[in-house]
Amino acid sequence: MKRDNATWVSEFILMGLSSDKHIQAGLFVLFGVTYLLTLLGNGLIVLLIALDPRLHLPMYFFLCHLSVVDICYTSSGVPQMLAHFLMEKKTISFALCGTQHFFALALGGTEFLLLAAMAYDRYVAVCNPLRYTVVMNPRLCMGLAGVSWFVGVVNSAVETAVTMRLPTCGHNVLNHVACETLALVRLACVDITLNQVVILASSVVVLLVPCCLVSLSYAYIVTAILKIRSTQVALSLF
C-alpha cells in the first residue's frame, strides 16, 4: 500500500490531560518540577558512581544504567508535554511521533530488563556470596547490560515499525499526552491482528519474563534468609 495524504496523516493532535488553561498551568508546574528533580536525582547518582571508585561494583553498575535510562525515558516525552501545556495548538508531526514512540518503548523495555539483571545480582550476592565476585565479573555485567539495551531497542524497533505503518484514514486525534502504542493502534482503519500479536509478544519479552525473573530471584533470596535465621535459632538452643 502506498503512502498518501488520504490514508496517512502528517501530524497528530494530542488531547493531553485537560483543556482548562488554569489546570494546564498547574500541571506545567507540577510536571516541570518533577522532571527537574528526576534529572537532578538520577544525574547525581550517575556522577557519584562515576567519581567514587568504591562504587564501581556490579550493583552500582546496573544502578548507573538504570539512572541513565530514567533520564532518557522522561526526556523522550516530558519536554514535549510541558511545551503543549503552554501551546494553543497541541500537535506533533508524524516523524516526531514515531521517534518518540520508538525511544519510549526502547527505554521502557530496557528498564524492565535491567531490573531483572539487578535482581539476579542480588540473588548471587545473598545466595552465593563466596562466589559473588567470580560470578558477577565485569564481562558478565557488561553482557547483561548490553543484552538489556539490545533487546529493548530491537523490541521497540519492531513494535514501532508495525504501529507507524498503520493507515488512519484521516483520523489524527490522540486522547493521550504522548504517542503511545494503544492510542495509535485505536486510530487504525485496517485489520490490526498483526499489531495485537506483536504487542502480546512484546509484553511477554519485556514485561512478563523480567517480572518472573525478579519474583523468582527474590523468592530464592527470602528462602535463603529464612534458612539462615532458622539455623541461628537452632544454634542458639544448644
Side-chain angles (χ1 to χ4, degrees), residues 18-33 82 84-87 90:
S18 174
S19 58
D20 186 276
K21 292 185 177 180
H22 297 290
I23 295 178
Q24 288 182 359
L27 290 174
F28 175 84
V29 174
L30 175 63
F31 284 102
V33 171
L82 293 175
H84 280 186
F85 284 142
L86 304 177
M87 297 168 60
K90 299 173 174 55

Side-chain angles (χ1 to χ4, degrees), residues 176-187:
H176 211 280
V177 297
C179 291
E180 188 262 347
T181 301
L182 295 180
L184 290 166
V185 170
R186 290 192 185 101
L187 296 181

Side-chain angles (χ1 to χ4, degrees), residues 117-174:
M118 293 177 73
Y120 176 72
D121 170 71
R122 293 299 84 201
Y123 159 75
V124 177
V126 174
C127 299
N128 202 354
L130 297 179
R131 299 188 67 245
Y132 177 72
T133 55
V134 176
V135 176
M136 298 304 298
N137 57 74
R139 184 176 180 179
L140 178 63
C141 293
M142 291 292 293
L144 290 174
V147 168
S148 298
W149 283 96
F150 177 76
V151 173
V153 169
V154 171
N155 171 74
S156 178
V158 172
E159 191 166 338
T160 300
V162 299
T163 300
M164 300 308 294
R165 71 173 181 85
L166 292 172
T168 61
C169 299
H171 304 294
N172 68 337
V173 179
L174 295 173

Side-chain angles (χ1 to χ4, degrees), residues 199-221:
I199 291 172
L200 178 61
S202 173
S203 299
V204 170
V205 172
V206 300
L207 291 177
L208 184 59
V209 172
C211 284
C212 289
L213 292 175
V214 170
S215 300
L216 186 63
S217 296
Y218 282 103
Y220 277 113
I221 290 172

Side-chain angles (χ1 to χ4, degrees), residues 77-92:
V78 174
Q80 169 254 311
M81 180 177 65
L82 293 175
H84 280 186
F85 284 142
L86 304 177
M87 297 168 60
E88 198 69 35
K89 187 179 180 182
K90 299 173 174 55
T91 60
I92 183 171

